[in-house]
Amino acid sequence: FSGATWHINGSRLSLESDSSNEDYQDWESGWVIEFEAGTYTLADSFDVGQNSAAAPGDRIRIQAASGAVSRPIIQQTSGNRYPFRPFLPVEVSGMKFTTTVTASAYGVAITFGPVVFDDCVFDLAGSGASYCLQANGASCVIVNCYITGGDIGLQLTGSRDGCSVQNCVFDGKGTEFLTAAIQIGGKEHGINIDSCLVLDSDGDGIRIVSLALNDTMVSVTNCTIVDCDGDGIVYDDTGAGGTVGNSLSIRNNLIAYNGLYGLLHDGPDDTNNVLQGNAVYSNTSGNYSGFFIAGDGAVTLTADPFTNRASDDYTLNNTAGGGALLREAAYPATLPDGT
């Protein structure tokens, strides 16, 4: 019969075998959805688990099959945005998200949730998208992912319970991220950007803008932010109308070779800023500006710290005043011992 190639326990060939009730709308908690290598087109919202009447249980896992010879691709083919709306908890691993849409494009928009992306690629380079990946309205974890494309690589905005971004690469390729590689704004509660590489943004590296009153904690730690045309990290609250009560924690980052300032606070001194252990080098307009100051444990390099910046090798070299100065230089130097 005609369904033999995609029946249960077989291999489906499409995400949208029924246009009035797509397959993914019927996925349930605890299911594991595996994709072989190939490109799976998507012309509608990715409404995972929409039809489930059960209470949320174990996560739905969407992943590359263990024998996949290359990373499976989910490709947006129509519409001006790419909504990813999990109605149940979802973890996505080993997948790649792309688009063929170029006019009025946005990107992958995460709503509802919670959702975890692990070892995924988001590549919207050349699409002209407003953002490559946006988390708006749901808590999320984005770990070990590669993100490129869009005026903004990752936009964290709206009201959520928090978002953690760890061990990711934001690659502007010199022509992407016109605004910023990462932009944070709105009522975010808790945002953690940790151990990420941000490079070659056409705009800023990390841009924090218009935070909501008394509601936001942003932490940026252990990141390398390099070769961006704008500022490395900028907190811009010039139009926020005052945001007293928010907190920024910026610790142990390496910020170098950016076209404007390394760290810029543009606006009134209305935020609890803690800067500790950051290292700066060769930022064109200067290393610190506004109410950002070096803080405890700051390191000012006197030499290039990278092994081979021209080849995007941002590991530390052993040059005196450069990479050698950063080894074991994180703040604080030791764990507390209780004495």
Side-chain angles (χ1 to χ4, degrees):
F1 62 104
S2 62
T5 58
W6 52 262
H7 64 82
I8 300 299
N9 296 325
S11 297
R12 295 180 183 265
L13 303 180
S14 170
L15 282 171
E16 300 172 302
S17 61
D18 180 348
S19 60
S20 64
N21 183 34
E22 285 88 352
D23 296 339
Y24 44 81
Q25 293 177 343
D26 293 329
W27 296 349
E28 296 283 356
S29 293
W31 286 23
V32 178
I33 314 299
E34 292 195 329
F35 287 79
E36 298 291 349
T39 299
Y40 300 81
T41 59
L42 184 67
D44 204 345
S45 299
F46 201 10
D47 299 327
V48 175
Q50 182 178 18
N51 294 336
S52 174
D58 292 340
R59 291 170 293 179
I60 297 174
R61 291 185 56 87
I62 302 171
Q63 62 190 37
S66 59
V69 295
S70 61
R71 192 182 295 271
I73 298 170
I74 297 178
Q75 185 175 82
Q76 176 198 25
T77 60
S78 67
N80 65 354
R81 70 177 64 228
Y82 192 157
F84 182 77
R85 301 193 293 190
F87 286 76
L88 298 169
V90 170
E91 180 174 352
V92 185
S93 61
M95 303 294 292
K96 182 175 182 177
F97 295 83
T98 66
T99 186
T100 59
V101 176
T102 57
S104 302
Y106 285 86
V108 180
I110 308 168
T111 57
F112 309 124
V115 61
V116 175
F117 285 103
D118 181 10
D119 183 28
C120 290
V121 171
F122 301 87
D123 188 350
L124 270 68
S127 68
S130 297
Y131 52 78
C132 182
L133 177 62
Q134 180 193 63
N136 180 15
S139 59
C140 62
V141 173
I142 303 168
V143 59
N144 197 31
C145 292
Y146 175 91
I147 298 170
T148 188
D151 288 346
I152 299 171
L154 171 63
Q155 180 169 282
L156 302 173
T157 185
S159 178
R160 72 187 68 256
D161 294 324
C163 187
S164 179
V165 184
Q166 300 173 309
N167 200 46
C168 294
V169 172
F170 295 85
D171 186 354
K173 298 184 176 180
T175 57
E176 303 291 345
F177 308 155
L178 179 64
T179 300
I182 302 171
Q183 179 161 295
I184 301 166
K187 188 177 180 180
E188 295 297 337
H189 298 290
I191 299 296
N192 179 39
I193 311 296
D194 181 44
S195 303
C196 293
L197 172 61
V198 178
L199 71 148
D200 280 342
S201 171
D202 203 28
D204 300 321
I206 298 176
R207 183 173 185 81
I208 306 164
V209 60
S210 299
L211 300 180
L213 180 64
N214 293 331
D215 278 310
T216 303
M217 168 66 190
V218 176
S219 175
V220 181
T221 57
N222 303 319
C223 294
T224 297
I225 304 168
V226 61
D227 286 325
C228 300
D229 288 351
D231 301 301
I233 298 176
V234 55
Y235 173 50
D236 180 2
D237 60 350
T238 56
T243 54
V244 177
N246 295 312
S247 298
L248 305 182
S249 175
I250 302 175
R251 289 181 167 93
N252 296 333
N253 301 287
L254 172 53
I255 304 167
Y257 292 113
N258 297 293
L260 296 177
Y261 290 101
L263 297 105
L264 169 65
H265 183 168
D266 191 4
D269 186 17
D270 56 9
T271 300
N272 178 23
N273 301 316
V274 178
L275 274 68
Q276 294 176 320
N278 297 295
V280 291
Y281 182 69
S282 194
N283 296 290
T284 302
S285 297
N287 292 323
Y288 301 93
S289 183
F291 290 100
F292 281 158
I293 59 175
D296 297 333
V299 177
T300 300
L301 300 167
T302 58
D304 185 339
F306 301 118
T307 299
N308 191 339
R309 172 173 159 248
S311 299
D312 295 338
D313 182 352
Y314 296 107
T315 56
L316 296 178
N317 60 31
N318 290 309
T319 303
L325 192 60
L326 294 177
R327 298 186 184 280
E328 300 182 5
Y331 181 91
T334 61
L335 290 171
D337 60 9
T339 59

